[in-house]
Amino acid sequence: MKEISFVLNNEERSVSVEANEVLLDVLREKLGVKSPKCGCERGDCGACTVLLDGKAVRSCLVLAIEVENHRITTVEGISAEKLSALQEAFIQFNAFQCGYCAPGIILAVTELLLQHPHPSLEQIKESMAGNLCRCTGYSPIFDAIMALTKVEQHADAAENVTSQDQHPALPNVEGK
Amino acid sequence: MKEYTYIGKDVVRIDGLEKISGAAIYGDDIDFGANLLHAELVSSTEAHAIIKSIDISEALKVKGVYKIFTGKDFPYKFGLYMKDRFIFAQDKVRFVGEQIAAVVARNPGAAKRAAALIKVEYEPLPAVLDQMQALADGATLLHPDLENYPHVPWFFPKPGTNIAHWRKTRKGDMKGGFNEADFILEDTYTVPRYAHCAIETHVAIGKFDYSGRLTVWSSSQSPHTQRHLFAEALGLGHKDVRVIAPHVGGGFGGKAGVTMEIIPAALATKLKGYAVKLRYSREQEFINTYQRLGVVAKLKMGVTKEGRITALDHKIYWDAGAYVEYGANVVNAVGLSAIGPYRIDNISIDSVCVYTNLPPGGAYRGFGYSEMLFGLESHVTRVANELGIDQIEFRRKNAIKVGDTTAYGAKMNPNGLLECIDKVVKAIDWGNKPAPTNPNTVIGNGFSLFWKAPAMPPNASSSAFLKFNEDASINLIISGMDIGQGYQTVMAQIAAEILSVPPSKIRVETPDTDRNPYEWQTVASHITWSSGNAVKKAAIDAREQILSLVQRVFNLPLEELYLEDEAVKCTQDPSFNLPLKSFVVDGIMTKDGTFKGGPINARGMFMPEFSSANGDPETSQGGHPNVHYTVGAAALTLEIDKDTGKMRVLKTALAIDAGKALNPDLVRGQITGGMLQGLATVLYEDMRYDSKGKLLNPNFTDYKIPTAMDVPDEIIPIIVEVPQPDGPFGARGIGEHTMLPAAPMVANAVEDALGLRIKSMPITAEKVAMAYLASKKQ
């Protein structure tokens, strides 16, 4: 067991982990963050996607011990104050059905929008190609993102991810 | 037509905030505290064998192991329509992956390590891995004691064979029908098995508390059916079994009935005071839950030169797996409906449910109709082409109409099949093709009709409770599952329409069998229709309570009172406006300071009282097994690379007669989702077994399901509305149907483009390229 510290959804957390424990299990079982879902445990489905310093990663393939001193963001982290414009678009466009893949897809697309505020359809498809959705046929998700990002003066679609989320955490976390 | 406020509107889903914010709780998300035990299964490595011994001694030494259970601990049979399964294998295993034992441990790691140490000694038996082989003379019997298995009265097993059920439908004069034909086409089509691939794997947690009550939290489409089967199998009273179904991460039929959920339920009864959890890995999800049944279909169709179908002989042999307690009803359903949406006077259908040493077949979106339509709609296209009649014209000419008789003799319900055909023809610009994008590609167009009826026992029912809160918001208490289709939202719309309360003020929780009223199951695309009727009745009950109270207190004529904008109003007195929130809980204060009324609580129930399964076993004539059919048409434009066989869907259109689309955007969502799921079954998905009955591709790396890159360039969803007379606001179900036409229309498009008829699914790029190569060599 080793005690590690990292910033989880803008809050510094410490937790004891085994060297072989994956981030998904630590988030869900030890830190009570349940939006990253388990779908395959081998990186195929993307339901466990989280942001690691602003980059979408599969938390079932990341060892928890590796995230020491980094920033992890889950859907809980971007929903705390109010939903992001992307999340609102998902609701308005019925861009989900069972909802199980939604947290992962929202984070994958959040990463895209941080890099490309006005993505092409091809960029959208590519950004979420590693996230499986069995219900929607993906089209309503494309529609939601296209409608949101084609608006010229759109609110920053990824607004709820702070600029800090894109960079490794600094020792002094904001607000502490 | 009446203008509705909420019905027929694109109301935003009421479960959106929960699911998009991360708040939605799924089975695996529930915390059970430090005393939770974890179960891991020991699964058969043999397709067919006698279990000679099970050695658990090494496993017991693993730190953290609490107890180990085997079949001896649970000698109980269970099953939905036919009791042919055990909770754990008893003396025999019948497929690779069948559960033999369970290790219960303090943590999942210990359970897994210990399970790997359990040694099972087998005496292998000959395995039958193919339904035609299982039907052959002298084939090994999977269930020698079949005659003793309890089953529903409309199943006809053949003891002494591997035939678990044989649905025969006979109508008219086959000999006369084929004599009348100018042309007869006979051929065989095959469909492999498929996996549902909901992204959430099965998970269930059982807890048998110290008072002797069993609670099961389960990712399920069927909480009340599960409660019933748990109570029956485990010998408990229904009041002492409680099933709580949180949000479900996709179902597609795979979470209908009971599969692995009975394991933690049974384990819990021997672990008093503990909660015990079983969560399937993706591999277990592939090898030991229901699978879509494999099919060999032999079709013989006779037609006149004018294009009238004179006779259809349709023999369908189903690879139903080692246990058919649910799958046999797939066979039954198709055996009643294998004429497709056509008017045919002379019919012979044999739908044969065959035991094989492969995992149990069961419900999968479409319930056998996808498999049946692959052959039928391929055949129809070929027959039309052979006659030199346009295939659309041929379909129009033979399309079933309201009042025509179905295969089993009941009358066809009102439907918009011809309108669907016309709208698809127009949307896809049938008869024209875009130019290929490069010299090596060719373009083909494919067409298909589809139909499907809910397959359910004649007494499958739905019910609803509805209670008002102080602010006139509503809790609608129902037991269907929102498996993603938008059920909660649509039920809220129905109540909203009757009670003039916006859907956003209506809360629908996922069910708990202790508190929610009975619902058969969320399957068969029957829930909008059946539960919708129950909800409508509950809302009408609430409205009657409200209006009669107002009538009593204010002495106003009942017929002048109505609900609008969350208030009671009066047609003859525009100034009368009594907000619901002023009295639906607290009652109405009268002049003397007393209160009249009280909390408004309402109920509704629906059972299709006209339905019966009493058809003649030899002909299926005489009953009314299906409540109604939903019909539609679809077409696509496919571009094929001649060398690689790679296919791209340029455009596809699907029209479905929803009766009344209660929420059109949700109907369109079923079309985009179902279409992609259907296209995947024909273009690349395929469960592959080795010669020993072991699944070779039990993961998403090797069993490919569509990604965002695989979406057709253009999907045109079309809604047709010919009302269902007994549906809520005219609605009927559409959820499964949207994947039904995909396979035959791809096969038809491939033939249109390359002149090659492929009669086995899937139609992969490899198969197309090889067939094209072979055709060039000839």
Side-chain angles (χ1 to χ4, degrees):
Chain A
M1 283 282 198
K2 181 180 188 263
E3 171 123 340
I4 59 164
S5 296
F6 63 101
V7 178
L8 172 59
N9 294 331
N10 293 316
E11 184 192 356
E12 187 161 343
R13 300 288 296 265
S14 296
V15 61
S16 293
V17 299
E18 300 282 359
N20 63 351
E21 267 185 289
V22 296
L23 179 61
L24 174 64
D25 291 344
V26 171
L27 289 174
R28 290 181 56 85
E29 306 306 328
K30 293 188 169 171
L31 295 168
V33 173
K34 303 280 193 174
S35 77
K37 306 296 185 200
C38 176
C40 69
E41 297 173 281
R42 50 186 274 157
D44 285 333
C45 79
C48 65
T49 302
V50 300
L51 295 182
L52 167 62
D53 301 331
K55 295 265 188 284
V57 297
R58 301 171 192 316
S59 64
C60 75
L61 295 184
V62 174
L63 291 173
I65 213 156
E66 294 178 287
V67 307
E68 169 136 49
N69 294 330
H70 289 273
R71 297 183 72 94
I72 296 294
T73 305
T74 69
V75 157
E76 286 88 343
I78 61 172
S79 306
E81 295 298 320
K82 66 178 175 71
L83 298 187
S84 69
L86 176 65
Q87 287 172 294
E88 293 287 359
F90 264 65
I91 295 177
Q92 289 309 313
F93 281 79
N94 289 329
F96 64 93
Q97 287 187 24
C98 80
Y100 199 77
C101 69
I105 291 183
I106 287 165
L107 292 169
V109 178
T110 297
E111 182 201 19
L112 169 75
L113 299 184
L114 286 167
Q115 316 296 330
H116 303 283
H118 303 284
S120 66
L121 181 58
E122 283 314 305
Q123 285 175 317
I124 292 170
K125 287 182 177 180
E126 207 150 301
S127 77
M128 51 187 276
N131 293 76
L132 298 177
C133 169
R134 189 59 152 171
C135 300
T136 63
Y138 303 102
S139 313
I141 304 175
F142 303 158
D143 293 345
I145 301 165
M146 291 300 276
L148 172 70
T149 56
K150 79 173 180 213
V151 182
E152 236 163 275
Q153 296 289 317
H154 79 91
D156 186 353
E159 62 197 338
N160 290 6
V161 177
T162 66
S163 57
Q164 268 206 354
D165 284 318
Q166 299 174 61
H167 305 291
L170 304 170
N172 287 329
V173 177
E174 211 179 328
K176 291 222 57 154
Chain B
M1 206 196 265
K2 185 175 171 349
E3 249 318 298
Y4 295 118
T5 311
Y6 303 111
I7 293 297
K9 301 293 188 318
D10 293 335
V11 170
V12 169
R13 294 178 65 121
I14 63 172
D15 54 349
L17 197 50
E18 270 170 271
K19 287 179 173 172
I20 294 305
S21 68
I25 300 291
Y26 298 80
D28 192 37
D29 299 340
I30 305 168
D31 279 315
F32 289 89
N35 224 12
L36 176 67
L37 297 172
H38 299 266
E40 184 57 69
L41 300 181
V42 177
S43 302
S44 172
T45 55
E46 295 289 324
H48 199 192
I50 292 166
I51 300 172
K52 292 189 73 180
S53 67
I54 303 171
D55 177 2
I56 63 170
S57 55
E58 287 302 309
L60 280 171
K61 292 179 194 160
V62 174
K63 190 165 172 267
V65 168
Y66 184 71
K67 267 186 182 164
I68 296 175
F69 297 93
T70 67
K72 282 203 298 277
D73 299 299
F74 304 102
Y76 317 123
K77 246 184 200 163
F78 74 100
L80 186 60
Y81 294 106
M82 158 117 79
K83 293 192 192 333
D84 66 354
R85 286 191 88 166
F86 286 95
I87 297 169
F88 290 95
Q90 299 288 307
D91 52 332
K92 249 189 212 181
V93 288
R94 294 183 177 87
F95 68 94
V96 175
E98 180 168 7
Q99 65 272 19
I100 293 172
V103 176
V104 176
R106 284 282 170 192
N107 61 73
K112 220 173 232 129
R113 281 194 299 279
L117 293 172
I118 291 179
K119 295 183 201 76
V120 182
E121 199 189 341
Y122 302 98
E123 181 187 323
L125 297 169
V128 278
L129 302 175
D130 170 284
Q131 65 268 49
M132 303 321 275
Q133 185 195 341
L135 285 171
D137 283 343
T140 305
L141 293 187
L142 270 82
H143 294 271
D145 50 348
L146 177 59
E147 64 190 324
N148 300 322
Y149 292 177
H151 57 79
V152 292
W154 70 86
F155 279 5
F156 307 105
K158 308 290 171 210
T161 74
N162 284 315
I163 298 173
H165 174 42
W166 187 333
R167 167 55 61 187
K168 293 180 190 173
T169 300
R170 305 281 186 271
K171 196 178 92 171
D173 165 17
M174 292 305 286
K175 206 168 160 219
F178 281 118
N179 280 342
E180 203 189 334
D182 297 307
F183 174 70
I184 295 171
L185 182 68
E186 210 173 339
D187 217 330
T188 302
Y189 301 85
T190 60
V191 183
R193 289 171 163 244
Y194 290 96
H196 305 79
C197 300
I199 308 301
E200 178 201 39
T201 60
H202 280 66
V203 60
I205 303 95
K207 182 173 182 176
F208 194 56
D209 68 22
Y210 290 111
S211 78
R213 294 197 80 229
L214 175 68
T215 303
V216 180
W217 291 262
S218 151
S219 176
S220 171
Q221 298 176 228
S222 315
H224 280 86
T225 294
Q226 293 199 338
R227 181 183 67 167
H228 181 58
L229 290 191
F230 296 159
E232 263 192 348
L234 303 170
L236 297 164
H238 285 70
K239 91 162 174 43
D240 291 325
V241 181
R242 177 183 189 185
V243 176
I244 298 174
H247 285 292
V248 175
F252 313 107
K255 290 168 183 161
V258 172
T259 54
M260 58 77 87
E261 303 83 4
I262 199 157
I263 297 170
L267 294 175
T269 61
K270 308 254 179 194
L271 297 164
K272 217 169 192 180
Y274 293 94
V276 56
K277 179 176 192 168
L278 180 62
R279 188 187 80 186
Y280 263 7
S281 67
R282 179 54 58 187
E283 182 176 358
Q284 287 170 320
E285 187 76 11
F286 270 101
I287 64 173
N288 191 5
T289 57
Y290 294 130
Q291 298 175 0
R292 201 171 105 173
L293 287 66
V295 155
V296 172
K298 295 180 184 294
L299 271 149
K300 182 179 174 189
M301 181 181 278
V303 287
T304 64
K305 58 181 184 300
E306 294 78 27
R308 180 172 57 84
I309 303 174
T310 59
L312 176 71
D313 183 353
H314 203 164
K315 293 183 169 54
I316 310 177
Y317 303 96
W318 302 82
D319 157 20
Y323 304 99
V324 305
E325 47 94 17
Y326 203 153
N329 208 41
V330 173
V331 175
N332 192 70
V334 173
L336 294 163
S337 301
I339 56 169
Y342 296 106
R343 183 183 57 255
I344 307 174
D345 293 333
N346 307 302
I347 299 161
S348 173
I349 304 169
D350 292 278
S351 191
V352 186
C353 180
V354 186
Y355 281 121
T356 59
N357 290 112
L358 289 174
Y364 180 119
R365 187 180 200 172
F367 213 66
Y369 285 72
S370 292
E371 299 89 301
M372 177 273 286
L373 285 165
F374 174 66
L376 183 68
E377 282 298 294
S378 295
H379 213 69
V380 160
T381 300
R382 294 173 64 192
V383 166
N385 289 342
E386 292 278 354
L387 288 174
I389 296 178
D390 174 68
Q391 60 171 300
I392 309 295
E393 251 340 286
F394 183 83
R395 289 186 169 93
R396 271 202 195 102
K397 194 186 281 267
N398 292 287
I400 198 162
K401 297 186 182 65
V402 59
D404 288 343
T405 52
T406 57
Y408 47 84
K411 297 286 179 211
M412 180 61 187
N413 51 280
N415 70 86
L417 185 56
L418 294 175
E419 190 182 340
C420 289
I421 295 174
D422 292 344
K423 288 192 163 158
V424 166
V425 164
K426 192 159 174 234
I428 205 81
D429 193 15
W430 187 260
N432 292 311
K433 291 179 199 171
T437 53
N438 80 58
N440 214 39
T441 63
V442 284
I443 307 276
N445 282 338
F447 202 92
S448 176
L449 301 185
F450 59 88
W451 83 340
K452 184 187 175 294
M456 46 188 231
N459 60 341
S461 64
S462 298
S463 45
F465 293 157
L466 183 154
K467 67 185 175 78
F468 268 98
N469 301 314
E470 292 86 336
D471 61 351
S473 65
I474 290 169
N475 289 102
L476 182 56
I477 306 164
I478 47 183
S479 294
M481 291 304 300
D482 202 316
I483 53 176
Q485 77 285 55
Y487 163 74
Q488 294 182 340
T489 305
V490 169
M491 295 303 114
Q493 284 177 261
I494 290 172
E497 187 67 40
I498 305 285
L499 294 168
S500 82
V501 173
S504 59
K505 282 187 74 173
I506 300 177
R507 170 72 185 165
V508 186
E509 231 335 315
T510 56
D512 167 344
T513 58
D514 261 14
R515 295 173 181 154
N516 294 37
Y518 181 82
E519 167 61 53
W520 171 58
Q521 303 193 79
T522 301
V523 297
S525 305
H526 87 122
I527 202 86
T528 296
W529 172 76
S530 178
S531 184
N533 275 327
V535 167
K536 192 175 174 199
K537 286 186 184 178
I540 289 169
D541 179 21
R543 185 176 65 190
E544 284 172 358
Q545 292 180 42
I546 288 166
L547 298 184
S548 68
L549 172 66
V550 172
Q551 172 202 28
R552 176 158 68 95
V553 174
F554 294 92
N555 203 21
L556 289 164
L558 197 56
E559 62 276 12
E560 290 178 13
L561 297 173
Y562 66 99
L563 296 176
E564 190 178 72
D565 298 334
E566 303 180 63
V568 182
K569 296 184 180 178
C570 176
T571 53
Q572 299 307 308
D573 178 3
S575 69
F576 186 83
N577 185 327
L578 189 67
L580 292 175
K581 66 182 176 193
S582 71
F583 71 93
V584 284
V585 169
D586 293 336
I588 302 172
M589 192 166 81
T590 58
K591 280 180 192 154
D592 64 2
T594 62
F595 287 79
K596 304 293 180 241
I600 301 292
N601 297 307
R603 62 171 278 276
M605 183 274 287
F606 177 75
M607 183 185 272
E609 292 187 345
F610 59 90
S611 186
S612 97
N614 274 0
D616 182 300
E618 292 305 315
T619 65
S620 298
Q621 300 300 314
H624 200 309
N626 286 335
V627 290
H628 56 255
Y629 288 89
T630 297
V631 302
L636 56 54
T637 301
L638 192 67
E639 181 166 35
I640 307 172
D641 184 304
K642 287 184 285 186
D643 288 337
T644 63
K646 196 168 182 313
M647 287 166 278
R648 191 168 136 221
V649 178
L650 300 180
K651 187 175 177 181
T652 176
L654 184 148
I656 188 161
D657 179 4
K660 173 75 187 171
L662 302 179
N663 186 325
D665 201 49
L666 294 181
V667 174
R668 289 189 288 271
Q670 288 303 301
I671 293 174
T672 58
M675 177 63 80
L676 192 60
Q677 194 174 359
L679 288 172
T681 62
V682 55
L683 294 173
Y684 36 88
E685 288 183 28
D686 183 3
M687 300 188 97
R688 302 219 177 165
Y689 289 90
D690 70 10
S691 61
K692 301 255 168 76
K694 183 173 186 273
L695 183 65
L696 293 168
N697 52 344
N699 57 64
F700 287 144
T701 318
D702 300 314
Y703 185 99
K704 299 278 187 206
I705 70 169
T707 73
M709 308 299 280
D710 302 311
V711 178
D713 292 358
E714 187 182 4
I715 302 175
I716 305 166
I718 301 163
I719 296 169
V720 167
E721 296 181 316
V722 175
Q724 179 61 31
D726 59 2
F729 303 97
R732 60 175 87 81
I734 56 98
E736 295 167 278
H737 308 71
T738 55
M739 75 178 284
L740 299 179
M745 70 184 182
V746 166
N748 292 339
V750 168
E751 185 179 57
D752 184 44
L754 293 170
L756 300 168
R757 171 56 59 176
I758 296 180
K759 295 178 283 191
S760 64
M761 285 175 67
I763 300 176
T764 57
E766 180 189 4
K767 203 182 271 183
V768 170
M770 297 305 279
Y772 182 65
L773 199 62
S775 77
K776 274 201 305 190
K777 280 182 185 155
Q778 278 170 7

